Amino acid sequence: MSSVTTDIEGVGMPVEIGRIDRELGKLWEEAGETKTRASLLNLVLYSEDASAIRENTNIIAEIAGEHACRAILILADPHAGQSRARAWINAHCHMAGKRQICSEQITFHLEGEAACALPSIVFSHLDSDLPLCFWWQAPFRRPIDDVLWSWVDRMVFDSAQWADPAPPLHIVREIGALGDGKTVLGDLNWARILGARFAIASLFDHSRALENLPHIEQVSIDHAPGCRSTAILLLGWLASRLGWKLQPMMSKPFFLAPNGTHVQFALTEKAGPSISRCSFRSGKCEFLLERCATRSFFEVTVSCPGFNEHPRIVNAGREKPSDLLLAELSRGGRHGLYREALEAILPII
């Protein structure tokens, strides 16, 4: 028995695909009055990595505690030599008073040509007309499946996983433009830097610090190995908020501030959290945030002639995949700032 089969069989009860709805109904009949099925959205997770089966099931279990849903977990192997589709069902239940509120999970293993039937597999098993959130965990490829993505309300992805961000980013932007921009882009990398964004903003809370903000001359960001795209996204947020325009044609790119200041930047790879340190220099003033190596907070410090703040602690946020997905589902909205941040740094992506 292959490890893939073993992992999938551990996440539910095998069922014939044509009997999924009937078997789910029997599941609730047998539960009696002790369990109540609930669903506020359809959550689809698509992966081509067999090792992600159990982790994705654990993520669904955690999400279901706060967002009741019908979850569809898909493991696809489009390059398999044979065409085969198999399914499993299970439920994730959480106590709410004296009752258990349960979310359904349907797991599919699609091989060969069956993996190309993704729209029909997904659409035929959605829970009524509830919103569809689709977390795409595989490489983005062309041609774009217009039929699939035109149905998706929120497309979730993680740009931190892109070794070369440019090709997938262009595909993501095209998907976001389908159907007059109906599909919301939910980059977990954007949720990942939320704590850093709050911490940076807090550096300039005091009026004496704020007056230096338009005169920043240098930005330095330290990021973990494999998290360069996270640092670039944070830099894009800064540029979009402060009106900096990237000058990419120079030997060493820099930003041009509205007042004409040249803003130099450096992104440095260092072991540690995704974003471990950010510093800003404005004249003789330095603004610094540093991530604690063992705890989830930033220490922020402001040093200026005649004005020095005592170091303060700011929550750095969480970085578990389930926490990032919960943050994405909870905030909603169309992420206009995310799009502006991307536009600000597209030339260096």
Coordinates of all heavy atoms in Angstrom, one line a residue, residues 211-301:
E211 N 7.2 63.7 12.1 CA 7.7 64.8 11.2 C 8.9 64.3 10.4 O 9.3 65.0 9.4 CB 8.1 66.0 12.0 CG 9.2 65.8 13.0 CD 9.4 67.0 14.0 OE1 8.4 67.8 14.2 OE2 10.5 67.2 14.5
N212 N 9.5 63.2 10.8 CA 10.7 62.7 10.1 C 10.2 61.7 9.0 O 11.1 61.3 8.1 CB 11.6 61.9 11.0 CG 12.4 62.9 11.9 OD1 13.5 63.3 11.5 ND2 12.0 63.1 13.1
L213 N 9.0 61.3 9.0 CA 8.5 60.3 8.0 C 8.8 60.6 6.6 O 9.2 59.8 5.8 CB 7.1 59.9 8.3 CG 6.5 58.8 7.6 CD1 7.2 57.5 7.8 CD2 5.0 58.6 7.9
P214 N 8.5 61.9 6.2 CA 8.7 62.2 4.7 C 10.1 62.3 4.3 O 10.4 62.4 3.1 CB 8.0 63.6 4.6 CG 7.1 63.8 5.8 CD 7.8 63.0 6.9
H215 N 11.0 62.3 5.3 CA 12.5 62.4 5.0 C 13.3 61.2 5.1 O 14.5 61.2 5.2 CB 13.0 63.5 5.9 CG 12.2 64.8 5.8 ND1 12.2 65.6 4.7 CD2 11.4 65.4 6.8 CE1 11.4 66.7 5.0 NE2 10.9 66.5 6.2
I216 N 12.6 60.0 5.2 CA 13.4 58.8 5.2 C 14.3 58.6 4.0 O 13.9 58.8 2.9 CB 12.4 57.6 5.3 CG1 11.7 57.6 6.7 CG2 13.1 56.2 5.1 CD1 10.6 56.5 6.8
E217 N 15.5 58.2 4.3 CA 16.5 58.1 3.3 C 17.0 56.7 3.0 O 17.5 56.4 2.0 CB 17.8 58.9 3.6 CG 17.5 60.4 3.9 CD 18.7 61.1 4.6 OE1 19.4 60.4 5.4 OE2 18.9 62.3 4.4
Q218 N 16.7 55.8 4.0 CA 17.2 54.5 3.9 C 16.3 53.5 4.6 O 15.8 53.8 5.8 CB 18.6 54.4 4.5 CG 19.3 53.0 4.3 CD 20.8 53.1 4.8 OE1 21.2 54.0 5.4 NE2 21.5 52.0 4.5
V219 N 16.1 52.4 4.0 CA 15.2 51.3 4.6 C 16.0 50.0 4.5 O 16.6 49.7 3.4 CB 13.9 51.1 3.8 CG1 13.1 50.0 4.4 CG2 13.1 52.4 3.8
S220 N 16.1 49.3 5.6 CA 16.7 48.0 5.6 C 15.8 47.0 6.2 O 15.2 47.2 7.3 CB 18.0 48.1 6.4 OG 18.6 46.8 6.5
I221 N 15.6 45.8 5.5 CA 14.7 44.8 6.0 C 15.5 43.4 6.0 O 16.1 43.0 5.0 CB 13.5 44.6 5.1 CG1 12.7 46.0 5.1 CG2 12.6 43.5 5.6 CD1 11.5 45.9 4.1
D222 N 15.5 42.8 7.2 CA 16.1 41.4 7.3 C 15.0 40.4 7.2 O 14.0 40.5 7.9 CB 16.8 41.3 8.6 CG 18.1 42.2 8.7 OD1 18.4 42.7 7.6 OD2 18.7 42.3 9.7
H223 N 15.2 39.4 6.4 CA 14.1 38.3 6.2 C 14.7 37.0 6.3 O 15.9 36.8 6.1 CB 13.4 38.5 4.9 CG 14.3 38.4 3.7 ND1 14.6 37.2 3.1 CD2 15.0 39.3 3.0 CE1 15.4 37.4 2.1 NE2 15.7 38.7 2.0
A224 N 13.9 36.0 6.6 CA 14.4 34.6 6.7 C 14.7 34.0 5.3 O 14.2 34.5 4.3 CB 13.3 33.7 7.3
P225 N 15.5 33.0 5.2 CA 15.7 32.3 3.9 C 14.4 31.9 3.3 O 13.6 31.3 4.0 CB 16.6 31.1 4.3 CG 17.3 31.6 5.6 CD 16.3 32.4 6.3
G226 N 14.3 32.1 2.0 CA 13.0 31.8 1.3 C 11.9 32.8 1.5 O 10.8 32.5 1.0
C227 N 12.1 33.9 2.2 CA 11.1 34.9 2.5 C 11.4 36.2 1.8 O 10.9 37.2 2.3 CB 10.9 35.0 4.0 SG 10.2 33.6 4.8
R228 N 12.2 36.2 0.8 CA 12.5 37.5 0.1 C 11.2 38.1 -0.4 O 11.0 39.4 -0.3 CB 13.4 37.3 -1.1 CG 13.7 38.5 -1.8 CD 14.8 38.3 -2.9 NE 14.9 39.5 -3.8 CZ 15.6 40.5 -3.5 NH1 16.3 40.6 -2.4 NH2 15.7 41.6 -4.4
S229 N 10.2 37.3 -0.9 CA 9.0 37.9 -1.4 C 8.2 38.6 -0.3 O 7.5 39.5 -0.5 CB 8.1 36.8 -2.1 OG 7.8 35.8 -1.2
T230 N 8.3 38.0 0.9 CA 7.7 38.7 2.1 C 8.2 40.0 2.3 O 7.5 41.0 2.6 CB 7.8 37.8 3.3 OG1 7.5 36.4 3.0 CG2 7.0 38.3 4.5
A231 N 9.6 40.1 2.3 CA 10.2 41.4 2.5 C 9.9 42.4 1.4 O 9.6 43.6 1.6 CB 11.7 41.2 2.6
I232 N 9.8 41.9 0.1 CA 9.5 42.8 -1.0 C 8.0 43.3 -0.9 O 7.8 44.5 -1.1 CB 9.6 42.0 -2.3 CG1 11.1 41.8 -2.6 CG2 9.0 42.8 -3.5 CD1 11.3 40.9 -3.9
L233 N 7.1 42.5 -0.4 CA 5.7 42.9 -0.2 C 5.6 43.9 0.9 O 4.9 44.9 0.8 CB 4.9 41.7 0.2 CG 3.4 41.8 0.1 CD1 2.9 42.3 -1.3 CD2 2.7 40.5 0.5
L234 N 6.4 43.8 2.0 CA 6.4 44.8 3.0 C 7.0 46.1 2.5 O 6.5 47.2 2.8 CB 7.3 44.3 4.2 CG 7.4 45.2 5.4 CD1 6.0 45.5 6.0 CD2 8.3 44.6 6.5
L235 N 8.0 46.0 1.7 CA 8.6 47.2 1.0 C 7.6 47.9 0.1 O 7.5 49.1 0.1 CB 9.9 46.8 0.3 CG 10.7 48.0 -0.4 CD1 11.3 48.9 0.7 CD2 11.8 47.4 -1.2
G236 N 6.8 47.1 -0.6 CA 5.8 47.6 -1.5 C 4.7 48.4 -0.7 O 4.2 49.4 -1.1
W237 N 4.4 47.8 0.5 CA 3.4 48.5 1.3 C 3.9 49.9 1.8 O 3.2 50.9 1.7 CB 3.1 47.6 2.6 CG 2.3 48.3 3.6 CD1 0.9 48.6 3.6 CD2 2.8 48.8 4.8 NE1 0.6 49.3 4.7 CE2 1.7 49.4 5.5 CE3 4.0 48.8 5.5 CZ2 1.8 50.0 6.8 CZ3 4.1 49.4 6.7 CH2 3.0 50.0 7.3
L238 N 5.1 49.9 2.2 CA 5.7 51.2 2.6 C 5.7 52.2 1.4 O 5.3 53.4 1.6 CB 7.2 51.0 3.0 CG 7.4 50.4 4.4 CD1 8.9 50.0 4.6 CD2 7.1 51.5 5.5
A239 N 6.1 51.7 0.3 CA 6.2 52.6 -0.9 C 4.8 53.1 -1.3 O 4.6 54.3 -1.6 CB 6.8 51.9 -2.1
S240 N 3.8 52.3 -1.3 CA 2.5 52.7 -1.7 C 1.9 53.7 -0.7 O 1.1 54.6 -1.0 CB 1.6 51.5 -1.8 OG 1.3 50.8 -0.6
R241 N 2.2 53.5 0.6 CA 1.6 54.4 1.7 C 2.3 55.7 1.7 O 1.7 56.8 2.0 CB 1.7 53.7 3.0 CG 0.9 52.5 3.3 CD -0.6 52.7 3.0 NE -0.9 52.4 1.6 CZ -1.9 53.0 1.0 NH1 -2.7 53.8 1.6 NH2 -2.1 52.7 -0.3
L242 N 3.6 55.8 1.3 CA 4.3 57.0 1.4 C 4.5 57.7 0.0 O 5.2 58.8 0.0 CB 5.7 56.7 2.0 CG 5.7 56.2 3.5 CD1 7.1 55.9 4.0 CD2 5.0 57.2 4.4
G243 N 3.9 57.1 -1.0 CA 4.0 57.7 -2.3 C 5.4 57.6 -3.0 O 5.7 58.4 -3.9
W244 N 6.2 56.7 -2.6 CA 7.5 56.5 -3.2 C 7.3 55.8 -4.6 O 6.5 54.9 -4.8 CB 8.4 55.6 -2.4 CG 8.7 56.1 -1.0 CD1 8.5 57.4 -0.5 CD2 9.2 55.3 0.1 NE1 9.0 57.5 0.8 CE2 9.4 56.2 1.2 CE3 9.6 54.0 0.2 CZ2 9.9 55.8 2.4 CZ3 10.1 53.6 1.4 CH2 10.3 54.5 2.5
K245 N 8.1 56.3 -5.6 CA 8.1 55.7 -6.9 C 9.4 55.0 -7.2 O 10.5 55.6 -7.1 CB 7.8 56.9 -7.9 CG 6.5 57.6 -7.7 CD 5.3 56.7 -7.8 CE 4.0 57.5 -7.7 NZ 2.8 56.6 -7.6
L246 N 9.3 53.8 -7.6 CA 10.5 53.0 -7.8 C 11.2 53.5 -9.1 O 10.6 53.7 -10.1 CB 10.1 51.5 -7.9 CG 11.3 50.5 -8.1 CD1 12.1 50.5 -6.8 CD2 10.8 49.1 -8.4
Q247 N 12.5 53.6 -9.0 CA 13.4 54.0 -10.1 C 14.2 52.7 -10.4 O 15.4 52.6 -10.0 CB 14.3 55.2 -9.7 CG 13.5 56.3 -9.1 CD 12.5 56.9 -10.0 OE1 12.8 57.3 -11.2 NE2 11.3 57.0 -9.5
P248 N 13.7 51.8 -11.2 CA 14.3 50.5 -11.4 C 15.4 50.5 -12.5 O 16.1 49.5 -12.6 CB 13.1 49.6 -11.8 CG 12.3 50.5 -12.6 CD 12.4 51.9 -11.9
M249 N 15.5 51.5 -13.2 CA 16.5 51.5 -14.4 C 17.9 51.8 -14.0 O 18.8 51.7 -14.8 CB 16.0 52.4 -15.5 CG 14.6 52.1 -16.0 SD 14.4 50.4 -16.5 CE 15.5 50.4 -17.9
M250 N 18.1 52.3 -12.7 CA 19.4 52.6 -12.3 C 20.2 51.3 -12.0 O 19.7 50.3 -11.8 CB 19.3 53.5 -11.0 CG 18.5 54.8 -11.2 SD 19.1 55.8 -12.6 CE 17.8 57.0 -12.7
S251 N 21.6 51.5 -11.8 CA 22.4 50.3 -11.5 C 22.0 49.7 -10.1 O 22.0 48.5 -9.9 CB 23.9 50.7 -11.5 OG 24.1 51.8 -10.6
K252 N 21.6 50.6 -9.2 CA 21.1 50.2 -7.9 C 19.7 50.9 -7.7 O 19.6 52.1 -7.5 CB 22.0 50.6 -6.8 CG 21.6 50.0 -5.4 CD 22.6 50.3 -4.3 CE 22.1 49.7 -3.0 NZ 23.1 50.0 -1.9
P253 N 18.6 50.1 -7.9 CA 17.3 50.7 -7.8 C 17.1 51.5 -6.5 O 17.6 51.1 -5.5 CB 16.3 49.5 -8.0 CG 17.1 48.5 -8.6 CD 18.5 48.7 -8.2
F254 N 16.3 52.5 -6.5 CA 15.9 53.2 -5.3 C 14.5 53.8 -5.5 O 13.9 53.8 -6.6 CB 16.9 54.4 -5.0 CG 17.0 55.4 -6.1 CD1 16.1 56.6 -6.0 CD2 17.9 55.3 -7.1 CE1 16.2 57.5 -7.0 CE2 17.9 56.3 -8.1 CZ 17.1 57.4 -8.1
F255 N 13.9 54.3 -4.5 CA 12.6 55.0 -4.5 C 12.8 56.5 -4.5 O 13.7 57.0 -3.9 CB 11.7 54.6 -3.3 CG 11.3 53.2 -3.4 CD1 11.9 52.2 -2.6 CD2 10.2 52.8 -4.2 CE1 11.4 50.9 -2.7 CE2 9.7 51.5 -4.2 CZ 10.4 50.5 -3.5
L256 N 11.9 57.2 -5.2 CA 11.9 58.6 -5.2 C 10.7 59.1 -4.4 O 9.6 58.8 -4.8 CB 11.9 59.2 -6.6 CG 12.0 60.7 -6.8 CD1 13.4 61.2 -6.3 CD2 11.8 61.1 -8.3
A257 N 10.9 59.8 -3.3 CA 9.8 60.3 -2.5 C 9.2 61.5 -3.1 O 9.8 62.2 -4.0 CB 10.3 60.6 -1.1
P258 N 8.0 61.8 -2.7 CA 7.3 63.0 -3.3 C 8.1 64.3 -3.1 O 8.0 65.2 -4.0 CB 6.0 63.1 -2.5 CG 5.7 61.7 -2.2 CD 7.0 61.1 -1.9
N259 N 8.9 64.4 -2.1 CA 9.7 65.7 -1.8 C 11.0 65.6 -2.5 O 11.9 66.5 -2.3 CB 9.8 65.9 -0.3 CG 10.6 64.8 0.4 OD1 11.1 63.9 -0.3 ND2 10.7 64.9 1.7
G260 N 11.3 64.6 -3.3 CA 12.5 64.5 -4.1 C 13.6 63.7 -3.4 O 14.7 63.5 -4.0
T261 N 13.4 63.2 -2.2 CA 14.4 62.4 -1.5 C 14.6 61.1 -2.1 O 13.6 60.4 -2.5 CB 13.9 62.2 0.0 OG1 13.7 63.4 0.7 CG2 14.9 61.3 0.8
H262 N 15.8 60.7 -2.3 CA 16.2 59.4 -2.8 C 16.2 58.4 -1.6 O 16.9 58.5 -0.6 CB 17.5 59.4 -3.4 CG 17.6 60.1 -4.8 ND1 18.5 59.8 -5.7 CD2 16.7 61.0 -5.3 CE1 18.3 60.6 -6.8 NE2 17.2 61.3 -6.5
V263 N 15.3 57.3 -1.7 CA 15.2 56.4 -0.6 C 15.9 55.1 -1.0 O 15.5 54.4 -1.9 CB 13.7 56.1 -0.3 CG1 13.7 55.1 0.9 CG2 13.0 57.3 0.0
Q264 N 17.1 54.8 -0.4 CA 17.8 53.6 -0.7 C 17.2 52.4 0.1 O 16.6 52.6 1.2 CB 19.3 53.7 -0.3 CG 20.0 54.9 -0.9 CD 20.1 54.8 -2.4 OE1 20.1 53.7 -3.0 NE2 20.1 55.9 -3.1
F265 N 17.3 51.2 -0.4 CA 16.7 50.1 0.4 C 17.6 48.9 0.2 O 18.4 48.7 -0.8 CB 15.3 49.7 -0.1 CG 15.2 49.3 -1.5 CD1 15.3 47.9 -1.9 CD2 15.0 50.2 -2.6 CE1 15.2 47.5 -3.2 CE2 14.9 49.8 -3.9 CZ 15.0 48.4 -4.2
A266 N 17.6 48.0 1.3 CA 18.4 46.8 1.3 C 17.6 45.7 1.9 O 16.9 45.9 2.9 CB 19.7 47.0 2.1
L267 N 17.5 44.5 1.2 CA 16.9 43.3 1.7 C 17.9 42.3 2.0 O 18.7 41.9 1.1 CB 15.9 42.8 0.7 CG 14.8 43.8 0.2 CD1 13.9 43.2 -0.9 CD2 14.0 44.4 1.3
T268 N 18.0 41.9 3.3 CA 19.1 41.0 3.7 C 18.5 39.7 4.2 O 17.7 39.7 5.1 CB 20.0 41.6 4.8 OG1 20.4 42.9 4.3 CG2 21.2 40.8 5.1
E269 N 19.1 38.6 3.7 CA 18.6 37.2 4.2 C 19.4 36.9 5.5 O 20.6 36.9 5.5 CB 18.9 36.2 3.1 CG 18.4 34.8 3.5 CD 18.6 33.8 2.4 OE1 18.0 33.9 1.3 OE2 19.4 32.9 2.6
K270 N 18.6 36.6 6.5 CA 19.2 36.1 7.8 C 18.3 35.1 8.4 O 17.1 35.1 8.3 CB 19.4 37.3 8.8 CG 20.4 38.3 8.4 CD 20.7 39.3 9.5 CE 21.8 40.3 9.1 NZ 22.1 41.3 10.1
A271 N 18.9 34.2 9.2 CA 18.1 33.1 9.8 C 17.2 33.8 10.9 O 17.5 34.7 11.5 CB 19.1 32.1 10.5
G272 N 16.0 33.2 11.0 CA 15.0 33.7 12.0 C 13.6 33.7 11.4 O 13.3 33.0 10.4
P273 N 12.8 34.5 12.0 CA 11.4 34.6 11.5 C 11.3 35.3 10.1 O 12.3 35.8 9.6 CB 10.7 35.6 12.5 CG 11.6 35.6 13.7 CD 13.0 35.4 13.2
S274 N 10.2 35.2 9.5 CA 10.0 35.7 8.1 C 10.5 37.2 8.0 O 11.2 37.5 7.1 CB 8.6 35.7 7.7 OG 7.7 36.3 8.6
I275 N 10.1 38.0 9.0 CA 10.7 39.4 9.0 C 11.3 39.5 10.4 O 10.5 39.5 11.4 CB 9.6 40.5 8.8 CG1 9.0 40.3 7.4 CG2 10.2 41.9 9.0 CD1 9.9 40.6 6.3
S276 N 12.6 39.7 10.5 CA 13.2 39.7 11.9 C 13.7 41.1 12.3 O 13.8 41.4 13.5 CB 14.4 38.8 11.9 OG 15.4 39.1 10.9
R277 N 13.9 42.0 11.3 CA 14.4 43.4 11.6 C 14.0 44.3 10.5 O 14.2 44.0 9.3 CB 15.9 43.3 11.8 CG 16.5 44.6 12.3 CD 18.0 44.4 12.5 NE 18.7 45.6 13.2 CZ 19.1 46.6 12.5 NH1 19.0 46.7 11.2 NH2 19.7 47.6 13.1
C278 N 13.6 45.6 10.9 CA 13.4 46.6 9.9 C 14.0 47.9 10.5 O 13.8 48.2 11.7 CB 12.0 46.9 9.6 SG 11.1 45.5 8.8
S279 N 14.8 48.6 9.8 CA 15.3 49.9 10.3 C 15.1 51.0 9.2 O 15.1 50.7 8.0 CB 16.8 49.8 10.6 OG 17.6 49.5 9.4
F280 N 14.9 52.2 9.7 CA 14.7 53.4 8.8 C 15.6 54.5 9.3 O 15.6 54.8 10.6 CB 13.2 53.8 8.9 CG 12.2 52.7 8.7 CD1 11.8 51.9 9.7 CD2 11.8 52.4 7.4 CE1 10.9 50.9 9.5 CE2 10.9 51.4 7.2 CZ 10.4 50.6 8.2
R281 N 16.2 55.2 8.4 CA 17.1 56.3 8.8 C 16.5 57.6 8.1 O 16.3 57.6 6.9 CB 18.5 56.0 8.4 CG 19.5 57.1 8.9 CD 20.9 56.7 8.8 NE 21.2 55.6 9.8 CZ 21.4 55.8 11.1 NH1 21.3 57.0 11.6 NH2 21.6 54.7 11.8
S282 N 16.4 58.6 8.9 CA 16.0 59.9 8.4 C 16.9 61.0 9.1 O 16.7 61.3 10.2 CB 14.5 60.2 8.8 OG 14.1 61.5 8.4
G283 N 17.8 61.5 8.3 CA 18.8 62.4 8.9 C 19.6 61.7 10.0 O 20.2 60.7 9.8
K284 N 19.5 62.3 11.2 CA 20.2 61.7 12.3 C 19.3 60.8 13.2 O 19.7 60.4 14.2 CB 20.8 62.8 13.2 CG 21.9 63.6 12.5 CD 22.5 64.7 13.4 CE 23.6 65.5 12.7 NZ 24.1 66.5 13.6
C285 N 18.1 60.6 12.7 CA 17.1 59.7 13.4 C 17.2 58.3 12.9 O 17.3 58.1 11.7 CB 15.7 60.3 13.3 SG 15.5 61.9 14.1
E286 N 17.0 57.3 13.8 CA 16.9 56.0 13.4 C 15.6 55.4 14.1 O 15.4 55.6 15.3 CB 18.1 55.1 13.8 CG 18.0 53.7 13.4 CD 19.2 52.9 13.7 OE1 19.9 53.2 14.7 OE2 19.5 51.9 13.1
F287 N 14.9 54.6 13.3 CA 13.7 53.9 13.7 C 13.9 52.5 13.5 O 14.2 52.0 12.4 CB 12.4 54.4 12.9 CG 12.3 55.9 13.0 CD1 12.9 56.8 12.1 CD2 11.5 56.5 13.9 CE1 12.8 58.1 12.1 CE2 11.3 57.9 14.0 CZ 12.0 58.7 13.1
L288 N 13.7 51.7 14.5 CA 14.1 50.3 14.5 C 13.0 49.4 15.1 O 12.4 49.7 16.1 CB 15.4 50.1 15.3 CG 15.9 48.7 15.4 CD1 16.4 48.1 14.1 CD2 17.1 48.6 16.4
L289 N 12.7 48.3 14.4 CA 11.9 47.2 15.0 C 12.7 45.9 14.9 O 13.2 45.6 13.8 CB 10.5 47.2 14.4 CG 10.3 46.7 13.0 CD1 10.1 45.2 12.9 CD2 9.0 47.3 12.5
E290 N 12.7 45.1 15.9 CA 13.4 43.9 16.0 C 12.5 42.8 16.5 O 11.9 43.0 17.6 CB 14.7 44.0 16.8 CG 15.8 44.8 16.1 CD 17.1 44.8 16.9 OE1 17.1 45.4 18.0 OE2 18.1 44.3 16.4
R291 N 12.5 41.7 15.9 CA 11.6 40.5 16.3 C 12.4 39.8 17.4 O 13.6 39.4 17.3 CB 11.4 39.6 15.1 CG 10.6 38.4 15.4 CD 9.1 38.6 15.7 NE 8.4 37.4 16.0 CZ 7.7 36.7 15.0 NH1 7.7 37.2 13.8 NH2 7.1 35.6 15.3
C292 N 11.7 39.5 18.5 CA 12.2 38.6 19.5 C 12.4 37.2 18.9 O 11.5 36.7 18.2 CB 11.3 38.6 20.7 SG 11.8 37.4 22.0
A293 N 13.6 36.6 19.2 CA 13.9 35.3 18.6 C 13.0 34.2 19.1 O 12.9 33.2 18.5 CB 15.4 35.0 18.9
T294 N 12.5 34.3 20.4 CA 11.8 33.2 21.0 C 10.3 33.5 21.2 O 9.6 32.6 21.6 CB 12.4 32.8 22.3 OG1 12.5 34.0 23.2 CG2 13.9 32.4 22.1
R295 N 9.9 34.7 21.0 CA 8.5 35.1 21.3 C 7.9 35.9 20.2 O 8.6 36.5 19.4 CB 8.4 35.8 22.6 CG 8.9 35.0 23.8 CD 8.7 35.8 25.1 NE 7.4 36.0 25.5 CZ 7.0 36.8 26.5 NH1 7.9 37.4 27.3 NH2 5.7 37.0 26.8
S296 N 6.6 36.0 20.1 CA 5.9 36.6 19.0 C 5.6 38.1 19.2 O 4.5 38.5 19.4 CB 4.6 35.9 18.7 OG 4.0 36.4 17.5
F297 N 6.7 38.9 19.3 CA 6.5 40.3 19.4 C 7.7 41.0 18.8 O 8.8 40.4 18.7 CB 6.3 40.8 20.9 CG 7.4 40.5 21.8 CD1 8.5 41.3 21.8 CD2 7.4 39.5 22.7 CE1 9.6 41.1 22.7 CE2 8.4 39.2 23.6 CZ 9.5 40.1 23.6
F298 N 7.5 42.3 18.4 CA 8.6 43.2 18.0 C 8.9 44.2 19.1 O 8.0 44.6 19.8 CB 8.1 44.0 16.8 CG 8.0 43.2 15.5 CD1 6.8 42.9 14.9 CD2 9.2 42.8 14.8 CE1 6.7 42.2 13.8 CE2 9.1 42.0 13.6 CZ 7.8 41.8 13.1
E299 N 10.2 44.5 19.2 CA 10.6 45.6 20.1 C 10.9 46.8 19.2 O 11.7 46.7 18.2 CB 11.9 45.2 20.8 CG 12.3 46.3 21.8 CD 13.5 45.9 22.6 OE1 14.6 46.2 22.1 OE2 13.3 45.4 23.7
V300 N 10.2 47.9 19.4 CA 10.3 49.1 18.5 C 11.0 50.2 19.3 O 10.8 50.4 20.5 CB 8.9 49.6 18.0 CG1 8.3 48.5 17.2 CG2 8.0 50.0 19.2
T301 N 12.0 50.8 18.6 CA 12.8 51.9 19.2 C 13.0 53.1 18.3 O 13.2 52.9 17.1 CB 14.2 51.3 19.5 OG1 14.1 50.1 20.2 CG2 15.1 52.3 20.4

